[in-house]
Amino acid sequence: ADDPMRAARQRLGQAITAGVETLHDAHRAWWADFWSRSYVGLSEPVLEQMWYLSLYNLATVLPGVPVGALCGLWYGPFDTPAQVLPWKGYYTNDYNTQLPVMPVGRTNHPELADGSFRTLLNMLPTTRRNAAELYDMPGAYYGLSTDPTGAEIANGPYRFCQGSGPYWCTLMSLHYQYTRDDKYLAEVLYPVTREVATFFAAYMRWKASVS
């Protein structure tokens, strides 16, 4: 939000109006529906426990927009340097940010990817500026490391890692194959993929071979 404090107060006001019992009922109904589509029975208790714990972790971090960045909700800074998580919890799009999204289709919960993909969609204005200001090119450039707006904050050699946009588009395409959601295709997948493809089409240069 442009005014986070005002937005937070509005959300809290809506919660107060709804009341604790209504919110708790909705909370329980959401989890009841979630777990009804999550059951597995494994012969190894430890693996079965990991299955349910991992799904719980994904369901508590992924649905929001903007989606939780590196290490989700468990990011510092805290009292000691040892408690500060790697890369300050930014979106590190070399595979760290993509990994939580990868299994959700196979776990019967493709909806958990929606927050990540809509976060990418919301980044488009900034990633277009990245392309224009950093490369003087059209389209959208998603940096290896970004903040929640999409602004590139990578440094050093990581600035040369330019494949984050196509990486995300591959996962977004797989998501459509799972869901066959035409509304998602039109509203999210196509706009992001179009801008990423436009950037790389401009970035490539034909160099004739020298005999």
Side-chain angles (χ1 to χ4, degrees):
D2 293 332
D3 186 344
M5 182 64 71
R6 181 180 179 184
R9 290 182 181 277
Q10 288 176 341
R11 292 288 296 273
L12 290 172
Q14 293 168 359
I16 291 170
T17 300
V20 172
E21 289 187 4
T22 298
L23 294 174
H24 189 243
D25 288 345
H27 176 77
R28 288 176 60 87
W30 190 93
W31 281 106
D33 174 69
F34 180 84
W35 291 123
S36 72
R37 295 179 285 118
S38 308
Y39 173 76
V40 297
L42 303 176
S43 59
E44 175 54 59
V46 175
L47 291 179
E48 186 170 314
Q49 182 186 47
M50 290 176 64
W51 164 264
Y52 286 110
L53 179 60
S54 297
L55 277 180
Y56 174 78
N57 287 337
L58 292 174
T60 56
V61 173
L62 291 180
V65 179
V67 71
L70 186 64
C71 302
L73 305 176
W74 297 274
Y75 163 62
F78 300 104
D79 296 330
T80 65
Q83 292 175 298
V84 178
L85 297 181
W87 301 285
K88 299 183 179 180
Y90 294 133
Y91 296 83
T92 49
N93 298 302
D94 51 356
Y95 69 87
N96 290 329
T97 314
Q98 288 93 340
L99 275 175
V101 177
M102 290 181 182
V104 298
R106 296 177 177 89
T107 63
N108 200 34
H109 288 288
E111 76 280 359
L112 292 181
D114 189 61
S116 295
F117 298 151
R118 290 193 178 276
T119 297
L120 295 171
L121 179 66
N122 290 346
M123 289 179 176
L124 268 183
T126 303
T127 55
R128 288 191 186 105
R129 285 198 297 272
N130 290 342
E133 295 175 4
L134 299 177
Y135 294 90
D136 193 26
M137 292 180 181
Y141 170 64
Y142 288 83
L144 178 109
S145 186
T146 72
D147 68 10
T149 72
E152 191 196 34
I153 52 177
N155 56 62
Y158 297 105
R159 293 291 299 276
F160 295 98
C161 300
Q162 298 163 335
S164 297
Y167 196 164
W168 272 118
C169 290
T170 299
L171 296 180
M172 295 171 74
S173 177
L174 289 173
H175 180 73
Y176 176 70
Q177 293 180 44
Y178 274 112
T179 64
R180 296 297 176 181
D181 184 343
D182 290 338
K183 183 179 180 182
Y184 158 79
L185 172 65
E187 294 181 356
V188 183
L189 173 58
Y190 176 71
V192 174
T193 303
R194 178 192 62 209
E195 295 300 309
V196 169
T198 298
F199 171 78
F200 279 95
Y203 186 88
M204 292 187 294
R205 292 290 184 271
W206 173 258
K207 185 176 182 181
S209 60
V210 179
S211 58

